[in-house]
Amino acid sequence: MKVLILNGPNINFLGIREPEIYGKTTYEDMLKIIGEYADKQEIEVSFYQSNHEGDLVDAIQRAYFDKIDGIVINPAAYTHTSIAILDALKAVGIVTVEVHLSAVEKREDFRQISYVSKYASKTITGQGVNGYLMALDYLKESKK
Ligand code: DQA
């Protein structure tokens, strides 16, 4: 099975940005952890991170042509604003898990809306990097 791991703005700054909220693991370390876990689970993963909304939309559209079976997305701040990302997910119709490193539900009011949640089959919050591994488990299970 082929899974695309998509990360939105500032996720490339993991380990540097607000470590008290997002942890000390760097973005590169996170990719390594996810990659190793995916290998063990015999899942083929690809990674894409962008700070630009349209680039994330393009990546979701590419997933359709690349015959990706599942998407794990942390849309970061675009979670709370982006109808374009929601529409792209609906357009490609690929099963999607939404992941947030932090427990967004316990944070500011402006983080309480998620457009992506309106499409995602599952949302995982507050588990740090482990949330991405849980998302892979879910996708693998739902493919059976
Ligand atoms: C985040 C939560 C968002 O509210 C925030 O804008 C992020 C990261 C998370 O992983 O906890 O950039 O998606």
PDB file of all heavy atoms in Angstrom, residues 95-107:
ATOM      1  N   VAL A  95      -8.679   7.952   0.942  1.00  0.00           N
ATOM      2  CA  VAL A  95      -8.909   7.877   2.390  1.00  0.00           C
ATOM      3  C   VAL A  95      -7.807   8.647   3.134  1.00  0.00           C
ATOM      4  O   VAL A  95      -6.621   8.521   2.831  1.00  0.00           O
ATOM      5  CB  VAL A  95      -9.075   6.416   2.881  1.00  0.00           C
ATOM      6  CG1 VAL A  95      -7.953   5.546   2.429  1.00  0.00           C
ATOM      7  CG2 VAL A  95      -9.234   6.327   4.378  1.00  0.00           C
ATOM      8  N   THR A  96      -8.250   9.481   4.068  1.00  0.00           N
ATOM      9  CA  THR A  96      -7.341  10.456   4.689  1.00  0.00           C
ATOM     10  C   THR A  96      -7.452  10.437   6.206  1.00  0.00           C
ATOM     11  O   THR A  96      -8.549  10.365   6.764  1.00  0.00           O
ATOM     12  CB  THR A  96      -7.679  11.877   4.170  1.00  0.00           C
ATOM     13  OG1 THR A  96      -7.423  11.922   2.762  1.00  0.00           O
ATOM     14  CG2 THR A  96      -6.866  12.958   4.858  1.00  0.00           C
ATOM     15  N   VAL A  97      -6.293  10.505   6.851  1.00  0.00           N
ATOM     16  CA  VAL A  97      -6.251  10.682   8.303  1.00  0.00           C
ATOM     17  C   VAL A  97      -5.608  12.035   8.587  1.00  0.00           C
ATOM     18  O   VAL A  97      -4.557  12.370   8.039  1.00  0.00           O
ATOM     19  CB  VAL A  97      -5.446   9.555   9.006  1.00  0.00           C
ATOM     20  CG1 VAL A  97      -5.439   9.768  10.513  1.00  0.00           C
ATOM     21  CG2 VAL A  97      -6.019   8.188   8.669  1.00  0.00           C
ATOM     22  N   GLU A  98      -6.268  12.804   9.433  1.00  0.00           N
ATOM     23  CA  GLU A  98      -5.762  14.120   9.848  1.00  0.00           C
ATOM     24  C   GLU A  98      -4.991  13.939  11.154  1.00  0.00           C
ATOM     25  O   GLU A  98      -5.498  13.300  12.085  1.00  0.00           O
ATOM     26  CB  GLU A  98      -6.973  15.040  10.066  1.00  0.00           C
ATOM     27  CG  GLU A  98      -6.651  16.396  10.653  1.00  0.00           C
ATOM     28  CD  GLU A  98      -7.926  17.189  10.971  1.00  0.00           C
ATOM     29  OE1 GLU A  98      -9.042  16.619  10.907  1.00  0.00           O
ATOM     30  OE2 GLU A  98      -7.791  18.374  11.310  1.00  0.00           O
ATOM     31  N   VAL A  99      -3.784  14.494  11.203  1.00  0.00           N
ATOM     32  CA  VAL A  99      -2.950  14.368  12.408  1.00  0.00           C
ATOM     33  C   VAL A  99      -2.542  15.755  12.898  1.00  0.00           C
ATOM     34  O   VAL A  99      -2.179  16.626  12.095  1.00  0.00           O
ATOM     35  CB  VAL A  99      -1.687  13.521  12.110  1.00  0.00           C
ATOM     36  CG1 VAL A  99      -0.703  13.561  13.276  1.00  0.00           C
ATOM     37  CG2 VAL A  99      -2.053  12.067  11.816  1.00  0.00           C
ATOM     38  N   HIS A 100      -2.606  15.943  14.206  1.00  0.00           N
ATOM     39  CA  HIS A 100      -2.031  17.137  14.830  1.00  0.00           C
ATOM     40  C   HIS A 100      -1.131  16.690  15.963  1.00  0.00           C
ATOM     41  O   HIS A 100      -1.550  15.859  16.784  1.00  0.00           O
ATOM     42  CB  HIS A 100      -3.129  18.065  15.364  1.00  0.00           C
ATOM     43  CG  HIS A 100      -4.010  18.559  14.275  1.00  0.00           C
ATOM     44  ND1 HIS A 100      -3.606  19.539  13.400  1.00  0.00           N
ATOM     45  CD2 HIS A 100      -5.240  18.158  13.864  1.00  0.00           C
ATOM     46  CE1 HIS A 100      -4.559  19.735  12.511  1.00  0.00           C
ATOM     47  NE2 HIS A 100      -5.557  18.907  12.767  1.00  0.00           N
ATOM     48  N   LEU A 101       0.067  17.252  15.994  1.00  0.00           N
ATOM     49  CA  LEU A 101       1.024  16.897  17.052  1.00  0.00           C
ATOM     50  C   LEU A 101       0.479  17.300  18.419  1.00  0.00           C
ATOM     51  O   LEU A 101       0.580  16.565  19.394  1.00  0.00           O
ATOM     52  CB  LEU A 101       2.353  17.610  16.795  1.00  0.00           C
ATOM     53  CG  LEU A 101       3.089  17.162  15.522  1.00  0.00           C
ATOM     54  CD1 LEU A 101       3.908  18.294  14.943  1.00  0.00           C
ATOM     55  CD2 LEU A 101       3.968  15.959  15.820  1.00  0.00           C
ATOM     56  N   SER A 102      -0.101  18.488  18.470  1.00  0.00           N
ATOM     57  CA  SER A 102      -0.601  19.004  19.748  1.00  0.00           C
ATOM     58  C   SER A 102      -2.078  18.678  19.904  1.00  0.00           C
ATOM     59  O   SER A 102      -2.755  18.314  18.930  1.00  0.00           O
ATOM     60  CB  SER A 102      -0.389  20.531  19.801  1.00  0.00           C
ATOM     61  OG  SER A 102      -1.216  21.167  18.835  1.00  0.00           O
ATOM     62  N   ALA A 103      -2.554  18.846  21.134  1.00  0.00           N
ATOM     63  CA  ALA A 103      -3.982  18.620  21.418  1.00  0.00           C
ATOM     64  C   ALA A 103      -4.727  19.907  21.057  1.00  0.00           C
ATOM     65  O   ALA A 103      -5.027  20.738  21.924  1.00  0.00           O
ATOM     66  CB  ALA A 103      -4.168  18.241  22.880  1.00  0.00           C
ATOM     67  N   VAL A 104      -5.025  20.079  19.774  1.00  0.00           N
ATOM     68  CA  VAL A 104      -5.633  21.332  19.293  1.00  0.00           C
ATOM     69  C   VAL A 104      -6.936  21.663  20.023  1.00  0.00           C
ATOM     70  O   VAL A 104      -7.260  22.837  20.201  1.00  0.00           O
ATOM     71  CB  VAL A 104      -5.884  21.316  17.760  1.00  0.00           C
ATOM     72  CG1 VAL A 104      -4.662  21.736  16.990  1.00  0.00           C
ATOM     73  CG2 VAL A 104      -6.393  19.980  17.279  1.00  0.00           C
ATOM     74  N   GLU A 105      -7.649  20.621  20.428  1.00  0.00           N
ATOM     75  CA  GLU A 105      -8.953  20.845  21.083  1.00  0.00           C
ATOM     76  C   GLU A 105      -8.806  21.554  22.434  1.00  0.00           C
ATOM     77  O   GLU A 105      -9.753  22.116  22.949  1.00  0.00           O
ATOM     78  CB  GLU A 105      -9.725  19.516  21.227  1.00  0.00           C
ATOM     79  CG  GLU A 105      -9.126  18.474  22.163  1.00  0.00           C
ATOM     80  CD  GLU A 105      -7.966  17.669  21.556  1.00  0.00           C
ATOM     81  OE1 GLU A 105      -7.565  17.931  20.412  1.00  0.00           O
ATOM     82  OE2 GLU A 105      -7.450  16.802  22.278  1.00  0.00           O
ATOM     83  N   LYS A 106      -7.583  21.530  22.980  1.00  0.00           N
ATOM     84  CA  LYS A 106      -7.363  22.195  24.283  1.00  0.00           C
ATOM     85  C   LYS A 106      -6.701  23.559  24.101  1.00  0.00           C
ATOM     86  O   LYS A 106      -6.278  24.190  25.070  1.00  0.00           O
ATOM     87  CB  LYS A 106      -6.469  21.319  25.159  1.00  0.00           C
ATOM     88  CG  LYS A 106      -7.118  20.014  25.524  1.00  0.00           C
ATOM     89  CD  LYS A 106      -6.258  19.238  26.505  1.00  0.00           C
ATOM     90  CE  LYS A 106      -6.853  17.868  26.756  1.00  0.00           C
ATOM     91  NZ  LYS A 106      -5.844  16.842  26.971  1.00  0.00           N
ATOM     92  N   ARG A 107      -6.545  24.009  22.839  1.00  0.00           N
ATOM     93  CA  ARG A 107      -5.818  25.257  22.597  1.00  0.00           C
ATOM     94  C   ARG A 107      -6.768  26.414  22.250  1.00  0.00           C
ATOM     95  O   ARG A 107      -7.935  26.382  22.623  1.00  0.00           O
ATOM     96  CB  ARG A 107      -4.748  24.997  21.528  1.00  0.00           C
ATOM     97  CG  ARG A 107      -3.732  23.933  22.005  1.00  0.00           C
ATOM     98  CD  ARG A 107      -2.648  23.678  20.986  1.00  0.00           C
ATOM     99  NE  ARG A 107      -1.861  24.895  20.756  1.00  0.00           N
ATOM    100  CZ  ARG A 107      -1.034  25.049  19.714  1.00  0.00           C
ATOM    101  NH1 ARG A 107      -0.903  24.065  18.825  1.00  0.00           N
ATOM    102  NH2 ARG A 107      -0.360  26.165  19.574  1.00  0.00           N
TER     103      ARG A 107
END
